[in-house]
Amino acid sequence: MKTRNDLLKLDALDPLAPLRDLFDLPEGVIYLDGNSLGARPNSALARAGQVIAAEWGHDLIRSWNTAGWFDLPKRLGNRLAPLIGAVEGEVVVTDTTSVNLFKALAAAVQVSTNSGRRVIVTERENFPTDIYMAQGLARWLDDGYQVKLVDSPAQLAASIDADTAVVMLTHVNYRTGRLHDMQAITAHAHAQGALTVWDLAHSAGAVPVDLHGAQADFAVGCTYKYLNGGPGSPAFIWVPARHQAHFSHPLTGWWGHAAPFAMAADFTQVKGIGRALCGTQPIVSLALVESGLEIFEQTSMHAVRQKSLALTDLFIELVEQRCASHPLTLATPRAHAERGSHVSFGHPHGYAVMQALIERGVIGDYREPSLMRFGFTPLYTSYADVWDAVEILRQILDDHAYDTAAARGAVT
Amino acid sequence: MKTRNDLLKLDALDPLAPLRDLFDLPEGVIYLDGNSLGARPNSALARAGQVIAAEWGHDLIRSWNTAGWFDLPKRLGNRLAPLIGAVEGEVVVTDTTSVNLFKALAAAVQVSTNSGRRVIVTERENFPTDIYMAQGLARWLDDGYQVKLVDSPAQLAASIDADTAVVMLTHVNYRTGRLHDMQAITAHAHAQGALTVWDLAHSAGAVPVDLHGAQADFAVGCTYKYLNGGPGSPAFIWVPARHQAHFSHPLTGWWGHAAPFAMAADFTQVKGIGRALCGTQPIVSLALVESGLEIFEQTSMHAVRQKSLALTDLFIELVEQRCASHPLTLATPRAHAERGSHVSFGHPHGYAVMQALIERGVIGDYREPSLMRFGFTPLYTSYADVWDAVEILRQILDDHAYDTAAARGAVT
């Protein structure tokens, strides 16, 4: 049996431990929700001050050029690229994940226009906004397109066939933390003549992603989770060089124009990744993304992954040991190859238990139905944090009779 | 002839003069580009500190509820509504002007689906991204829709006919500052059976807008110009109550869902203005919009308009008096009813002259072809500023021989 002292020793040896000092984490909190909103890098406050006081306040309109505001989506995209197996000139940070998904899906289905393929395959358990955006696009294309919802990962391969235009998947499932095999699914989709669109919301900065290695077609993702870009910080979109020449979508705003300041009355797409841009971006929120990205340059996704797996292994092990008498059901795969960086346990009173945890300073979150979700962010979570979180969970479950029928009525 | 002293007297009597102290304006600068990027409200820095340090850093994920992040698009929309003649529950601040225009246009053309109307009427001189977004939508609807570009305001009325689905116009022209008669055009469009979509980028916070009075159908606009929300701050969209029930568009993200946290696999539109939302918003940039909006609550759009017209009248008068020997051509209408809050003068070397002005601290901007654009923001521009700006312009034009053929070669 491990002891808390064993974990303090692991922390002392952890090469990532010093990175915790780069984040502002409140006293008395064990933050296990970085998969929903990443913690604040210390540098974000000074960076905001610079953008607001100096660039906006003092330099005013000139900052579009002198402070590089216009280039920020590309500059940040280039900085993010190595984390997802992309290269320079293939990523921009812009708009929201939903809007970027719309662009990527629109571009992907366009390739299929003449093929007669009319099905977008995704999972029923995909994050809802992804499904909704695909449904929105399909309805408006008005050309027979439909969204097929696959009920389980096991049925996925068989669901991709000669009618499939696009396979749209989230790499790590937001509820269960299950990780797809991007390379295998992409290869299968390609073999069936379909393209792939990957949502990296729960994988960018959490697990190593190799978009080129997997020969993926398009990808989008989020910067406010594991990348610590700040609440609702702009999302990213990846279009590999081989798809850029025919990448087109309906959101043809002036930032995607070949010469935006020529003010021509006709839209001419810019060459390269710039064509994934649309309108003017929220610069303050965008600039803060850099505070999150620069921290990753002090480590590697390999090191992050090693610690992530160690943390999630440890959490599963300790919960199963120390809370064994309670009706907790692991929803996250045990196999490393199938696990992202969060762990979910079902409990009949998951919502009430999570509220009690949060009151005690262990911040995870809750997802219907009955799932308690715990995110492990190797940049700022220690092994001792895992111990302490499980100890508080154990106390809550032992002290409150959440498991009994009587309590069930009381807490619902 | 007016003297600088006369203008100092006007400033002393100006009821809006104290509002200048609410802005951070650098020493030695006369800022006449608030129509492109509004100046920084002093309160924006502290507000950013609160959002970043306290809400994000300390309260973390809880701030989505406790700090009201989820409601921010609606709360800001309600605060903005009175400035544009809208009421509570009709405006959200979200996404970019381009993306919001796409939603509004998509909703508007949908109404025409069964009517056979397939033309979106706009002006060739409209801001390009508006034209591009309409072209992008028309191309993708793939149902015979086309964008008709009208060459001059005089030809507009005759261009709206039985084929017109939507009339999409920017209320104040970004180059010339020409103001459309929203009520008359909307009435004419309705008489022809068409709907209207208004872009208020250069009118919100600059001229009184009465969307309900004009019976307009949809509107979008920008918060980073006259509303001083910060660089690229999120845009707004207005959908009046009478159009909300049938307002639908392809960007069906989870923020527009009736129950986003139910995580259902099918999209059910929320009732009300929430259906204009799509994905998760950039909270830091969004929050700063409030710093700009709250300043308007210390005055009225009537007072703003009075001073705006006085400033632009004065600028035109002084330029024409004091720079009379130079080849300046007024591009902005003299009639008050046709003028927004910026004034543009053409000059054969407009670009070079504007660069010289900026070097001397008079910050306007330049728009192709050959137009120098000067924005007058009554909240922080004084009458003496106008005098000083014209004096510097006069000196530059007198001292440099921009008007001669020889100089033309030298400065191009």
Side-chain angles (χ1 to χ4, degrees), chain A residues 24-27 29 31 33 36-41 44-45 48-53 55-62 64 69 95-99 102 106-107 109-110 124 127-129 131-137 139-143 149 174-175 224 228-234 248-255 257 259-268 278-286 288 358 363-365 367-368, chain B residues 24-27 29 31 33 36-41 44-45 48-53 55-62 64 69 95-99 102 106-107 109-110 124 127-129 131-137 139-143 149 174-175 224 228-234 248-255 257 259-268 278-286 288 358 363-365 367-368:
Chain A
D24 174 45
L25 285 161
E27 285 294 312
V29 161
Y31 192 58
D33 211 4
S36 186
L37 172 63
R40 174 171 89 75
L45 198 59
Q50 182 198 353
V51 175
I52 295 170
E55 298 177 7
W56 176 18
H58 189 270
D59 295 339
L60 289 156
I61 190 71
R62 294 167 285 196
W64 282 108
W69 289 349
D95 293 333
T96 63
T97 308
S98 298
V99 166
F102 185 82
V109 299
Q110 199 194 24
R124 187 176 297 280
F127 188 71
T129 208
I131 301 175
Y132 305 156
M133 294 307 293
Q135 290 171 338
L137 179 70
R139 197 172 53 247
W140 278 74
L141 284 174
D142 199 22
D143 199 16
L149 299 177
Y174 77 103
R175 293 175 69 255
Y224 56 76
N228 308 304
S233 54
S248 88
H249 57 83
L251 301 176
T252 50
W254 70 316
W255 279 39
H257 194 281
F261 289 95
M263 305 283 172
D266 282 299
F267 185 72
T268 307
C278 176
T280 306
Q281 292 302 297
I283 295 300
V284 181
S285 282
L286 191 58
L288 299 188
I358 292 171
I363 303 182
D365 63 19
R367 285 292 176 265
E368 294 287 358
Chain B
D24 174 47
L25 286 160
E27 286 293 311
V29 160
Y31 191 57
D33 211 3
S36 187
L37 172 64
R40 173 171 89 76
L45 198 58
Q50 183 197 350
V51 175
I52 295 170
E55 299 177 8
W56 175 18
H58 189 271
D59 296 339
L60 290 155
I61 190 72
R62 293 167 285 196
W64 281 107
W69 289 350
D95 292 332
T96 64
T97 307
S98 298
V99 166
F102 185 82
V109 298
Q110 198 194 24
R124 187 176 298 281
F127 188 70
T129 206
I131 301 175
Y132 305 156
M133 293 308 292
Q135 291 170 339
L137 179 70
R139 195 171 55 248
W140 278 73
L141 284 174
D142 198 23
D143 198 17
L149 299 177
Y174 77 102
R175 292 175 69 254
Y224 56 77
N228 308 305
S233 55
S248 88
H249 57 84
L251 301 177
T252 51
W254 70 315
W255 280 38
H257 195 281
F261 288 96
M263 306 282 172
D266 282 300
F267 185 71
T268 308
C278 177
T280 305
Q281 292 302 297
I283 295 300
V284 181
S285 282
L286 191 58
L288 299 188
I358 291 171
I363 302 182
D365 63 21
R367 285 293 176 263
E368 294 288 354

Side-chain angles (χ1 to χ4, degrees), chain A residues 10-221:
Chain A
L10 278 184
D11 284 327
L13 295 170
D14 173 18
L16 273 65
L19 299 183
R20 185 187 178 108
D21 293 338
L22 302 178
F23 291 90
D24 174 45
L25 285 161
E27 285 294 312
V29 161
I30 300 173
Y31 192 58
L32 303 180
D33 211 4
N35 55 320
S36 186
L37 172 63
R40 174 171 89 75
N42 287 320
S43 67
L45 198 59
R47 181 80 178 102
Q50 182 198 353
V51 175
I52 295 170
E55 298 177 7
W56 176 18
H58 189 270
D59 295 339
L60 289 156
I61 190 71
R62 294 167 285 196
S63 289
W64 282 108
N65 296 307
T66 57
W69 289 349
F70 272 126
D71 294 328
L72 211 42
K74 286 183 193 167
R75 191 156 60 80
L76 295 175
N78 287 336
R79 207 153 178 181
L80 192 155
L83 300 181
I84 55 172
V87 301
E88 195 165 312
E90 293 185 337
V91 182
V92 278
V93 178
T94 188
D95 293 333
T96 63
T97 308
S98 298
V99 166
N100 287 337
L101 192 64
F102 185 82
K103 299 170 194 164
L105 275 179
V109 299
Q110 199 194 24
V111 172
S112 67
T113 305
N114 298 322
S115 70
R117 294 169 178 267
R118 289 294 180 268
V119 179
I120 299 170
V121 170
T122 190
E123 291 180 287
R124 187 176 297 280
E125 294 295 318
N126 197 348
F127 188 71
T129 208
D130 293 31
I131 301 175
Y132 305 156
M133 294 307 293
Q135 290 171 338
L137 179 70
R139 197 172 53 247
W140 278 74
L141 284 174
D142 199 22
D143 199 16
Y145 279 94
Q146 52 177 292
V147 179
K148 187 200 282 186
L149 299 177
V150 180
D151 287 326
S152 78
Q155 293 169 274
L156 190 60
S159 304
I160 303 168
D161 58 26
D163 292 328
T164 308
V166 183
V167 179
M168 173 190 82
L169 294 170
T170 297
H171 191 207
V172 174
N173 183 277
Y174 77 103
R175 293 175 69 255
T176 63
R178 189 185 185 286
L179 172 70
H180 277 302
D181 183 337
M182 182 185 287
Q183 184 156 16
I185 294 173
T186 300
H188 177 68
H190 287 175
Q192 299 294 320
L195 295 175
T196 57
V197 176
W198 289 95
D199 180 344
L200 306 178
H202 286 268
S203 38
V207 301
V209 178
D210 187 1
L211 288 168
H212 275 293
Q215 299 195 54
D217 296 295
F218 304 99
V220 301

